[in-house]
Amino acid sequence: MNYGSIRYIIGWILRVEALLMLLPIGTAVVYQESSGWAFVISAALCLILGIMLSIKKPKKTTYYTKEGYISVALGWIVMSIMGCLPFVISGEIPSFVNALFETVSGFTTTGASILHDVEAMSRCGLLWRSFTHWVGGMGVLVFILAILPLAGGEHNLQLMKAESPGPSVSKLVPKLRETALTLYKIYFGMTVLLIVLYLIGGMPLFDALCLSFGTAGTGGFGILNDSIASYNVYLQAVTTVFMMLFGVNFSFYFLLLYRKGKEAFAMEEVRWYFIIYFAAVALITWNLGSSAGSLFERFHHAAFQAASIMTTTGFSTVDFNFWTPFTKGILLTLMFIGACAGSTGGGIKVSRIVMYFKSIKNEIASLIHPRSIKVVKFEGKVIDSTVRKSIFAYISAYLFIFVLSVLIVSLDGFDFETNFSAVAATYNNIGPGFGLVGPTSNFDQYSALAKMVLSLDMLIGRLEIFPILVLFSPSTWKK
């Protein structure tokens, strides 16, 4: 085990987090808010600890999958703990468990909240909540890889594999650092474009920044108690479009940027992503009926909520708790499917779902024609046995953790719909669920134990299960 490299990486994560806290500090200065001192203290702690851990560069700079998973899992846990300190120190969220839940929800781009009155928070606190979405959307380690040669060479790929969502991660250009830098350029450029479109629609600058961070990171923290229902139809429509755009595999934009449009539009995952989305919108619009408003209103809200749930953003324009059981069933299905691999969205991912069903179809065909040789193809390539094995292992681990989480959360005594959707909403990094955790409610009613379980679910879901399992596996720490 290369403990030196793990220590060094954690140190740089803390140093970067201290740098990121300059944004809420600057916001506190602009709005003359005393709670900004909580961010000053927290940033100082992050910087001191970060320097202590990373001042000495490790002699051994090579590490492999195990070290990559441990570095990422520990990094996200440490980042969440330090990131929640401003809320505790300022007294805006005095309970450490609640503050940790809120911060984990931010960094994992979940958007589940324990706050009853969001509008009562300070501006710097609101901006930090939304900014954690933007930081966690692409991944803090992808950002660090873009600016620092941590380990060098091929070993940085282990960090990117552990942090980036999807069945597999590969370099898009020969140099991994250039890949990470290009991804962040695309991410930043799309965010700036969204801010401009919000401003054109008359949204105040502060609101535009917070909503853009939440949309880009597909997080869903709102700065109003009704999420974004108060904004006009234009602003909601812009949000719908950009939620879907940020749910697309960033390899698509990468290929477009490098003038490989034919390869980009041939991506099977992106095609299925939009097919599933438009099918869901059509079914919801049809099922809502005239009692839910005009055809345009039904389509508008159906398009928004389907995009919000599928991309695991979690914004809402209406309380879909009152929608029909059929439409709620569609939304629940979208919760599990999620967005594309390599996007800022959560869920199981479209690519895994497609490959999973193709593998099942292949097995059925093999039973009917045992002598025939069938192969499973995805994106025009044959899926090897290693990828198929990892997908089935992921689905198995996913289901086991999901069931276990529902059982533990159910100890609080709430109804099954609430508990099931609470786990689904946090595990898939969505935010609101159904029942008592619907879009107009929050998670504050749960006990400290349930909140810790749901916080862990958010981390497990964001990091694709295995980094957290590796971290807590006893065999990992054996010599």
mmCIF file of all heavy atoms in Angstrom, residues 366-386:
data_model
loop_
_atom_site.group_PDB
_atom_site.id
_atom_site.type_symbol
_atom_site.label_atom_id
_atom_site.label_comp_id
_atom_site.label_asym_id
_atom_site.label_seq_id
_atom_site.Cartn_x
_atom_site.Cartn_y
_atom_site.Cartn_z
ATOM 1 N N SER A 366 -28.760 -17.858 -26.326
ATOM 2 C CA SER A 366 -27.852 -19.000 -26.153
ATOM 3 C C SER A 366 -28.597 -20.239 -25.672
ATOM 4 O O SER A 366 -28.244 -21.368 -26.023
ATOM 5 C CB SER A 366 -26.747 -18.644 -25.166
ATOM 6 O OG SER A 366 -25.968 -17.579 -25.636
ATOM 7 N N LEU A 367 -29.625 -20.023 -24.855
ATOM 8 C CA LEU A 367 -30.435 -21.154 -24.379
ATOM 9 C C LEU A 367 -31.275 -21.748 -25.509
ATOM 10 O O LEU A 367 -31.460 -22.965 -25.590
ATOM 11 C CB LEU A 367 -31.347 -20.692 -23.240
ATOM 12 C CG LEU A 367 -30.661 -20.324 -21.920
ATOM 13 C CD1 LEU A 367 -31.671 -19.730 -20.943
ATOM 14 C CD2 LEU A 367 -30.005 -21.553 -21.302
ATOM 15 N N ILE A 368 -31.768 -20.877 -26.385
ATOM 16 C CA ILE A 368 -32.586 -21.348 -27.502
ATOM 17 C C ILE A 368 -31.726 -22.002 -28.573
ATOM 18 O O ILE A 368 -32.088 -23.040 -29.144
ATOM 19 C CB ILE A 368 -33.381 -20.170 -28.104
ATOM 20 C CG1 ILE A 368 -34.345 -19.599 -27.051
ATOM 21 C CG2 ILE A 368 -34.157 -20.614 -29.343
ATOM 22 C CD1 ILE A 368 -35.028 -18.318 -27.486
ATOM 23 N N HIS A 369 -30.563 -21.421 -28.834
ATOM 24 C CA HIS A 369 -29.631 -21.951 -29.840
ATOM 25 C C HIS A 369 -28.271 -22.176 -29.178
ATOM 26 O O HIS A 369 -27.348 -21.365 -29.342
ATOM 27 C CB HIS A 369 -29.497 -20.987 -31.013
ATOM 28 C CG HIS A 369 -30.802 -20.641 -31.671
ATOM 29 N ND1 HIS A 369 -31.504 -21.521 -32.464
ATOM 30 C CD2 HIS A 369 -31.545 -19.488 -31.621
ATOM 31 C CE1 HIS A 369 -32.608 -20.929 -32.897
ATOM 32 N NE2 HIS A 369 -32.662 -19.707 -32.395
ATOM 33 N N PRO A 370 -28.115 -23.260 -28.430
ATOM 34 C CA PRO A 370 -26.882 -23.484 -27.648
ATOM 35 C C PRO A 370 -25.613 -23.618 -28.483
ATOM 36 O O PRO A 370 -24.520 -23.375 -27.979
ATOM 37 C CB PRO A 370 -27.191 -24.780 -26.888
ATOM 38 C CG PRO A 370 -28.296 -25.431 -27.647
ATOM 39 C CD PRO A 370 -29.092 -24.336 -28.251
ATOM 40 N N ARG A 371 -25.732 -23.996 -29.727
ATOM 41 C CA ARG A 371 -24.535 -24.187 -30.550
ATOM 42 C C ARG A 371 -24.090 -22.910 -31.259
ATOM 43 O O ARG A 371 -22.990 -22.851 -31.801
ATOM 44 C CB ARG A 371 -24.790 -25.279 -31.600
ATOM 45 C CG ARG A 371 -24.974 -26.669 -30.975
ATOM 46 C CD ARG A 371 -25.090 -27.724 -32.056
ATOM 47 N NE ARG A 371 -25.258 -29.060 -31.471
ATOM 48 C CZ ARG A 371 -25.372 -30.178 -32.189
ATOM 49 N NH1 ARG A 371 -25.336 -30.106 -33.523
ATOM 50 N NH2 ARG A 371 -25.522 -31.333 -31.577
ATOM 51 N N SER A 372 -24.948 -21.913 -31.257
ATOM 52 C CA SER A 372 -24.589 -20.663 -31.938
ATOM 53 C C SER A 372 -23.690 -19.812 -31.039
ATOM 54 O O SER A 372 -23.752 -19.896 -29.809
ATOM 55 C CB SER A 372 -25.850 -19.871 -32.295
ATOM 56 O OG SER A 372 -26.530 -19.494 -31.111
ATOM 57 N N ILE A 373 -22.859 -19.018 -31.667
ATOM 58 C CA ILE A 373 -21.947 -18.130 -30.935
ATOM 59 C C ILE A 373 -22.481 -16.711 -31.044
ATOM 60 O O ILE A 373 -22.556 -16.135 -32.131
ATOM 61 C CB ILE A 373 -20.515 -18.211 -31.500
ATOM 62 C CG1 ILE A 373 -19.972 -19.634 -31.380
ATOM 63 C CG2 ILE A 373 -19.609 -17.221 -30.772
ATOM 64 C CD1 ILE A 373 -18.624 -19.822 -32.028
ATOM 65 N N LYS A 374 -22.892 -16.174 -29.919
ATOM 66 C CA LYS A 374 -23.449 -14.828 -29.881
ATOM 67 C C LYS A 374 -22.499 -13.889 -29.137
ATOM 68 O O LYS A 374 -21.885 -14.276 -28.142
ATOM 69 C CB LYS A 374 -24.804 -14.828 -29.169
ATOM 70 C CG LYS A 374 -25.847 -15.748 -29.802
ATOM 71 C CD LYS A 374 -26.397 -15.160 -31.080
ATOM 72 C CE LYS A 374 -27.515 -16.033 -31.642
ATOM 73 N NZ LYS A 374 -28.075 -15.478 -32.887
ATOM 74 N N VAL A 375 -22.403 -12.681 -29.631
ATOM 75 C CA VAL A 375 -21.593 -11.660 -28.948
ATOM 76 C C VAL A 375 -22.483 -10.468 -28.622
ATOM 77 O O VAL A 375 -23.475 -10.207 -29.309
ATOM 78 C CB VAL A 375 -20.395 -11.194 -29.814
ATOM 79 C CG1 VAL A 375 -19.413 -12.323 -30.017
ATOM 80 C CG2 VAL A 375 -20.868 -10.630 -31.143
ATOM 81 N N VAL A 376 -22.135 -9.761 -27.562
ATOM 82 C CA VAL A 376 -22.870 -8.568 -27.161
ATOM 83 C C VAL A 376 -22.069 -7.351 -27.614
ATOM 84 O O VAL A 376 -20.895 -7.213 -27.263
ATOM 85 C CB VAL A 376 -23.094 -8.529 -25.635
ATOM 86 C CG1 VAL A 376 -23.861 -7.269 -25.243
ATOM 87 C CG2 VAL A 376 -23.835 -9.772 -25.178
ATOM 88 N N LYS A 377 -22.713 -6.492 -28.367
ATOM 89 C CA LYS A 377 -22.034 -5.291 -28.853
ATOM 90 C C LYS A 377 -22.658 -4.034 -28.265
ATOM 91 O O LYS A 377 -23.867 -3.971 -28.058
ATOM 92 C CB LYS A 377 -22.098 -5.222 -30.386
ATOM 93 C CG LYS A 377 -21.197 -6.212 -31.109
ATOM 94 C CD LYS A 377 -21.179 -5.942 -32.596
ATOM 95 C CE LYS A 377 -20.183 -6.845 -33.311
ATOM 96 N NZ LYS A 377 -20.108 -6.553 -34.770
ATOM 97 N N PHE A 378 -21.805 -3.066 -27.998
ATOM 98 C CA PHE A 378 -22.264 -1.763 -27.523
ATOM 99 C C PHE A 378 -21.335 -0.710 -28.088
ATOM 100 O O PHE A 378 -20.120 -0.864 -28.063
ATOM 101 C CB PHE A 378 -22.248 -1.720 -25.988
ATOM 102 C CG PHE A 378 -22.770 -0.428 -25.418
ATOM 103 C CD1 PHE A 378 -24.119 -0.138 -25.454
ATOM 104 C CD2 PHE A 378 -21.906 0.506 -24.858
ATOM 105 C CE1 PHE A 378 -24.610 1.058 -24.938
ATOM 106 C CE2 PHE A 378 -22.375 1.693 -24.337
ATOM 107 C CZ PHE A 378 -23.741 1.971 -24.379
ATOM 108 N N GLU A 379 -21.903 0.354 -28.619
ATOM 109 C CA GLU A 379 -21.134 1.405 -29.298
ATOM 110 C C GLU A 379 -20.311 0.830 -30.440
ATOM 111 O O GLU A 379 -19.216 1.308 -30.744
ATOM 112 C CB GLU A 379 -20.209 2.139 -28.318
ATOM 113 C CG GLU A 379 -20.892 2.723 -27.099
ATOM 114 C CD GLU A 379 -21.689 3.997 -27.385
ATOM 115 O OE1 GLU A 379 -21.836 4.335 -28.563
ATOM 116 O OE2 GLU A 379 -22.148 4.633 -26.437
ATOM 117 N N GLY A 380 -20.842 -0.234 -31.081
ATOM 118 C CA GLY A 380 -20.160 -0.842 -32.217
ATOM 119 C C GLY A 380 -19.007 -1.757 -31.851
ATOM 120 O O GLY A 380 -18.314 -2.264 -32.725
ATOM 121 N N LYS A 381 -18.784 -1.971 -30.553
ATOM 122 C CA LYS A 381 -17.672 -2.807 -30.102
ATOM 123 C C LYS A 381 -18.202 -3.999 -29.307
ATOM 124 O O LYS A 381 -19.240 -3.903 -28.640
ATOM 125 C CB LYS A 381 -16.701 -1.998 -29.237
ATOM 126 C CG LYS A 381 -16.070 -0.811 -29.952
ATOM 127 C CD LYS A 381 -15.184 -0.017 -29.005
ATOM 128 C CE LYS A 381 -14.588 1.192 -29.705
ATOM 129 N NZ LYS A 381 -13.758 2.016 -28.773
ATOM 130 N N VAL A 382 -17.474 -5.094 -29.376
ATOM 131 C CA VAL A 382 -17.847 -6.286 -28.614
ATOM 132 C C VAL A 382 -17.543 -6.057 -27.140
ATOM 133 O O VAL A 382 -16.447 -5.627 -26.783
ATOM 134 C CB VAL A 382 -17.078 -7.527 -29.123
ATOM 135 C CG1 VAL A 382 -17.403 -8.745 -28.262
ATOM 136 C CG2 VAL A 382 -17.422 -7.811 -30.575
ATOM 137 N N ILE A 383 -18.529 -6.324 -26.288
ATOM 138 C CA ILE A 383 -18.336 -6.180 -24.847
ATOM 139 C C ILE A 383 -17.625 -7.429 -24.339
ATOM 140 O O ILE A 383 -18.163 -8.541 -24.425
ATOM 141 C CB ILE A 383 -19.684 -6.020 -24.112
ATOM 142 C CG1 ILE A 383 -20.478 -4.859 -24.694
ATOM 143 C CG2 ILE A 383 -19.472 -5.826 -22.626
ATOM 144 C CD1 ILE A 383 -21.890 -4.762 -24.155
ATOM 145 N N ASP A 384 -16.422 -7.264 -23.812
ATOM 146 C CA ASP A 384 -15.690 -8.434 -23.346
ATOM 147 C C ASP A 384 -16.263 -8.926 -22.009
ATOM 148 O O ASP A 384 -17.055 -8.258 -21.349
ATOM 149 C CB ASP A 384 -14.184 -8.151 -23.225
ATOM 150 C CG ASP A 384 -13.872 -7.029 -22.264
ATOM 151 O OD1 ASP A 384 -14.516 -6.938 -21.214
ATOM 152 O OD2 ASP A 384 -12.970 -6.225 -22.573
ATOM 153 N N SER A 385 -15.845 -10.112 -21.624
ATOM 154 C CA SER A 385 -16.390 -10.756 -20.428
ATOM 155 C C SER A 385 -16.076 -9.970 -19.154
ATOM 156 O O SER A 385 -16.851 -10.000 -18.195
ATOM 157 C CB SER A 385 -15.823 -12.178 -20.301
ATOM 158 O OG SER A 385 -14.402 -12.143 -20.250
ATOM 159 N N THR A 386 -14.949 -9.243 -19.145
ATOM 160 C CA THR A 386 -14.578 -8.468 -17.961
ATOM 161 C C THR A 386 -15.586 -7.353 -17.693
ATOM 162 O O THR A 386 -16.004 -7.140 -16.552
ATOM 163 C CB THR A 386 -13.175 -7.850 -18.147
ATOM 164 O OG1 THR A 386 -12.236 -8.881 -18.421
ATOM 165 C CG2 THR A 386 -12.748 -7.100 -16.896
#
